[in-house]
């Protein structure tokens, strides 16, 4: 991960421009990072320009770049503005990003089975139509050659479309990202570790979030932690980092729970839309074909 590699290099006394250049040389090791954004950061560091602004500008030209670049740009801007040690700040950020990546992997693994099952079930009506043709039934002639068949096509197609939309909405809700869990608290801890007051740290974090297009929540959690630190006389930065880690653990548990519930919730579009569509598009044409053939033979 870029943040962790930068932290190690900076801790070893490597200047920021050289550290970015070395990270650029290692891009083949981590092919998931966007080379355009990385190149912009390297160029800005070498020219002594703001790295965060360069990352944000480059991301605007590459919509598909990883969202973690915005987080890195925001943390870099906060550390540079507050005077916080970049190496320590990036090390903490790297741990936060690693937790977020682990959350995405765990949720993706848990969702793989339900999503594959949903795709298979949604294809059943079309598979049934193909089997009807293979078995010698004139499925398509029945569906498109009679008013009753056309009614089956219209209603079954509408149900199948609704089932796909419903399943996609459930999957999107289950896979929604919580990459910003605890981010504002981490940024406040970075700003305050550089000696900034609470008010200045809040201002720096707010400005950095707005400048780098990062949205996050957690103001109430920050207020609670800052109030606790004031009452107890404890280090604010450490309490903020502990609360951020707790929020990431909660986000991971919530993501796993959503993934586990998806398998059950996908039964709703299956029963309400896909199975009726299967009957209308797969079973009904066979029955109509058999009945029609029987009546024709009787006549």
């Amino acid at each position: 991960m870029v943040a962790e590699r930068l932290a190690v290099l900076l801790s070893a006394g490597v200047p920021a421009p050289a550290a970015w250049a070395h990270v650029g040389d290692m891009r083949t090791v981590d092919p998931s990072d966007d080379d355009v954004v990385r190149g912009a950061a390297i160029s800005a560091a070498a020219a002594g320009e703001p790295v965060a602004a360069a990352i944000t500008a480059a991301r605007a030209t590459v919509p598909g770049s990883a969202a973690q670049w915005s987080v890195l740009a925001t943390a870099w801007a906060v550390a540079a503005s507050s005077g916080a040690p970049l190496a320590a700040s990036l090390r903490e950020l790297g741990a936060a990003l690693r937790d977020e990546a682990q959350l995405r992997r765990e949720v993706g693994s848990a969702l793989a089975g339900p999503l594959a099952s949903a795709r298979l079930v949604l294809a059943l009506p079309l598979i049934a139509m193909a089997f009807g043709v293979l078995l010698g039934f004139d499925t398509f002639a029945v569906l498109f050659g009679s008013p009753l068949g056309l009614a089956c096509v219209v209603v079954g197609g509408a149900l199948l479309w609704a089932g796909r939309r419903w399943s996609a909405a459930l999957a999107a809700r289950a896979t929604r990202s919580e990459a910003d869990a605890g981010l504002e608290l981490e940024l406040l801890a970075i700003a305050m570790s550089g000696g900034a007051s609470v008010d200045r740290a809040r201002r720096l974090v707010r400005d950095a979030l707005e400048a780098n297009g990062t949205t996050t929540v957690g103001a109430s959690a920050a207020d609670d932690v800052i109030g606790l630190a004031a009452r107890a006389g404890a280090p604010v930065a450490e309490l903020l980092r502990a609360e951020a880690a707790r929020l990431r653990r909660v986000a991971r548990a919530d993501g796993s729970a959503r993934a586990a519930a998806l398998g059950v919730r996908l039964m709703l579009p299956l029963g309400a839309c896909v199975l009726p569509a299967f009957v209308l598009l797969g079973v009904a044409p066979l029955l109509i074909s058999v009945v029609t053939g029987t009546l024709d033979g009787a006549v």
Side-chain angles (χ1 to χ4, degrees):
M1 188 177 293
V2 173
E4 292 179 323
R5 291 170 180 168
L6 286 171
V8 172
L9 292 172
L10 293 172
S11 299
V14 179
W20 274 107
H22 288 307
V23 169
D25 293 338
M26 299 172 65
R27 59 182 177 273
T28 56
V29 179
D30 189 4
S32 64
D33 287 331
D34 194 281
D35 290 340
V36 174
V37 181
R38 190 199 309 267
I42 294 171
S43 300
E49 299 173 353
V51 173
I55 291 176
T56 302
R59 286 203 72 234
T61 64
V62 188
S65 58
Q68 286 82 357
W69 281 107
S70 289
V71 177
L72 175 59
T74 304
W76 190 281
V78 170
S81 300
S82 64
L86 276 175
S89 301
L90 292 177
R91 195 179 299 276
E92 296 294 338
L93 177 66
L97 292 177
R98 186 170 58 249
D99 288 346
E100 188 271 333
Q102 181 64 24
L103 168 62
R104 286 188 286 108
R105 285 192 293 268
E106 290 178 357
V107 172
S109 298
L111 289 175
L115 290 178
S117 300
R119 286 192 291 268
L120 177 61
V121 170
L122 286 170
L124 284 180
L126 302 179
I127 295 174
M129 294 172 61
F131 268 111
V133 174
L134 291 176
L135 291 174
F137 294 96
D138 202 357
T139 303
F140 291 101
V142 171
L143 286 174
F144 297 100
S146 65
L148 184 57
L150 289 175
C152 290
V153 171
V154 172
V155 178
L159 287 173
L160 192 58
W161 176 83
R164 287 182 180 274
R165 291 292 300 271
W166 193 352
S167 299
L170 291 175
R173 192 176 301 118
T175 56
R176 70 179 183 270
S177 175
E178 295 188 23
D180 58 355
L183 174 60
E184 186 172 348
L185 303 183
E186 288 284 356
L187 296 175
L188 283 172
I190 290 174
M192 298 186 74
S193 65
S197 64
V198 173
D199 291 338
R200 183 168 182 265
R202 285 182 179 275
R203 186 170 62 254
L204 290 175
V205 170
R206 183 179 62 251
D207 293 343
L209 288 172
E210 292 176 354
N212 294 285
T214 306
T215 58
T216 184
V217 294
S220 59
D223 292 337
D224 294 341
V225 173
I226 292 172
L228 173 62
R231 293 191 301 271
V236 182
E238 293 303 318
L239 285 175
L240 288 169
R241 289 192 176 100
E243 181 64 13
R246 186 191 71 81
L247 291 176
R248 290 194 296 271
R249 290 194 298 270
V250 170
R252 180 179 297 180
D254 290 344
S256 299
R258 291 196 306 273
L262 180 64
V264 177
R265 290 173 179 167
L266 284 175
M267 295 298 103
L268 296 174
L270 169 63
C273 299
V274 179
L275 290 182
F278 172 78
V279 172
L280 289 171
L281 297 176
V283 178
L286 302 183
L287 295 178
I288 295 173
S289 179
V290 171
V291 171
T292 303
T294 302
L295 293 176
D296 290 343
V299 173

